[in-house]
Amino acid sequence: MSPRHGTHFENTSVPAPLLRITTTTIRDTAQILHLHGEVDHDQRRPLESALERAVAERPPLLVVDLAGLTFCDSTCLNALLRARIAACAAGIPLVLAAPPAQTCRLLEITGADDVLTIHDSVRAALAGTEPRVG
């Protein structure tokens, strides 16, 4: 079979960016989970595992840096809320830092911003400044 001349097929589907999670530990101060990419159903397990590990390590403060998050849906929100419950049970303050606009909107719509402690930046979270209000 010969290819048809003049016919052009282009793969326009672009795979969603995978979730990348990096960790920074500040000795005797905090552990910071930096989230980069998208969190949806397909990326649920890596996020849940990272949050579970972080709580198990019992840092004095657990900061989840959302600045690099490009998409967050109910899957992400549920993981964060479950991590908050586990962290509270372990006596660990869990705070969110630098949520992008889409994530802020999700937190506001669901009322999760009343339950989760949210700071404008990692620096503010580490400094213990007043959390952002609505």
Side-chain angles (χ1 to χ4, degrees):
M1 282 189 120
S2 63
R4 293 184 189 179
H5 295 288
T7 305
H8 177 67
F9 294 100
E10 186 176 321
N11 182 0
T12 59
S13 64
V14 177
L18 295 177
L19 176 65
R20 185 169 52 92
I21 304 170
T22 57
T23 303
T24 302
T25 299
I26 303 171
R27 188 177 171 151
D28 300 325
T29 303
Q31 184 171 30
I32 308 163
L33 293 182
H34 307 274
L35 307 185
H36 306 274
E38 296 187 359
V39 180
D40 59 14
H41 182 72
D42 294 336
Q43 299 302 316
R44 174 182 60 89
R45 283 304 307 147
L47 176 59
E48 290 174 343
S49 295
L51 289 166
E52 289 168 6
R53 271 192 313 276
V55 170
E57 291 176 11
R58 296 186 168 275
L61 172 67
L62 177 56
V63 179
V64 182
D65 177 11
L66 304 175
L69 207 57
T70 57
F71 179 77
C72 173
D73 66 5
S74 61
T75 304
C76 178
L77 180 58
N78 286 330
L80 293 171
L81 290 169
R82 280 193 302 276
R84 179 193 168 274
I85 291 168
C88 284
I92 303 164
L94 180 144
V95 300
L96 305 182
Q102 182 267 331
T103 304
C104 284
R105 183 73 179 131
L106 177 64
L107 295 169
E108 291 167 6
I109 288 171
T110 60
D113 60 340
D114 291 332
V115 176
L116 295 163
T117 302
I118 305 166
H119 290 275
D120 289 328
S121 67
V122 170
R123 182 175 296 225
L126 293 173
T129 59
E130 281 296 311
R132 189 174 71 189
V133 179

